[in-house]
Amino acid sequence: MFRTIGELAELCGHYCWVERQVFELTGSRASRPETGDPDAGEAEVRVVLSEMSARHGLFAAQWHDRLPVRAGVDAEALIVPPPGPVEEALDLIASAPQPALVLGGLATQFLPRLREAYGRHLAQASPVSEAPVRAVLEWAVHSLGGEIRLAGALVQRLEPAGEGARSLGGFGGVVQRLLGSAEDSFPGARAS
């Protein structure tokens, strides 16, 4: 699929915005003093959120480095939310009262859709004209796969029976309904 420089710059700007938001969200929740039950795995969740923050900060920097540097183009103006529910979904996840809900919303709903969007873009990206973008997409798809598995396993392990499970599952369902399918939610290549 051929993309113009402008189209590719717009996508990189959206990707940069998304990754910056995930970086800020995970970092702030990892470092926020919580008043939850210390025996409920909160410390472990915060460590995972901290690791995720560092990784998404690196992704954001890589996307920023792929924005165009040329006369008449304000690269910073390209870093905007993608159209659709992504910004609202991140706001919803950020508003979750417990770090485990933040991790669950990201690991079970948000990041899998982002990974899918990156994968679609990678599958259609030209190895010649989009080589630098492909390098970040390859790294992101691989890294997000591991991150989703690790965080998802922790969420499953911490998910207690009864009220807690309804809370985690219910919150994930709200995020899922808001995001819809990855094709509708995230920038990138559309399925052909």
Side-chain angles (χ1 to χ4, degrees), residues 14-22 82 86 90 110 114 186:
H14 291 321
Y15 293 156
C16 184
W17 184 90
V18 168
E19 293 294 355
R20 279 185 180 177
Q21 299 306 305
V22 175
V86 171
L90 284 170
F110 191 86
L114 179 59
F186 287 93

Side-chain angles (χ1 to χ4, degrees), residues 60-117:
Q62 290 296 307
W63 288 123
H64 187 273
D65 288 350
R66 275 136 187 92
L67 292 172
V69 179
R70 59 182 186 181
V73 175
D74 178 6
E76 294 302 315
L78 293 168
I79 303 171
V80 296
V86 171
E87 183 173 21
E88 187 178 352
L90 284 170
D91 288 345
L92 174 64
I93 293 168
S95 73
Q98 301 160 345
L101 291 174
V102 171
L103 186 63
L106 289 170
T108 66
Q109 302 301 326
F110 191 86
L111 295 177
R113 285 172 174 76
L114 179 59
R115 183 175 186 259
E116 184 180 323

Side-chain angles (χ1 to χ4, degrees), residues 16-70:
C16 184
W17 184 90
V18 168
E19 293 294 355
R20 279 185 180 177
Q21 299 306 305
V22 175
F23 162 70
E24 291 173 9
L25 168 59
T26 53
S28 69
R29 289 312 290 263
S31 61
R32 179 190 294 178
E34 302 288 348
T35 58
D37 180 2
D39 296 328
E42 183 178 300
E44 194 173 358
V45 168
R46 291 171 66 158
V47 167
V48 171
L49 288 171
S50 178
E51 291 171 349
M52 291 170 70
S53 180
R55 202 167 12 261
H56 289 280
L58 288 171
F59 288 146
Q62 290 296 307
W63 288 123
H64 187 273
D65 288 350
R66 275 136 187 92
L67 292 172
V69 179
R70 59 182 186 181

Side-chain angles (χ1 to χ4, degrees), residues 95-143:
S95 73
Q98 301 160 345
L101 291 174
V102 171
L103 186 63
L106 289 170
T108 66
Q109 302 301 326
F110 191 86
L111 295 177
R113 285 172 174 76
L114 179 59
R115 183 175 186 259
E116 184 180 323
Y118 283 164
R120 279 193 323 275
H121 185 163
L122 179 60
Q124 296 177 2
S126 164
V128 176
S129 63
E130 294 186 53
V133 168
R134 285 180 59 88
V136 179
L137 289 168
E138 288 170 352
W139 174 44
V141 167
H142 175 74
S143 182

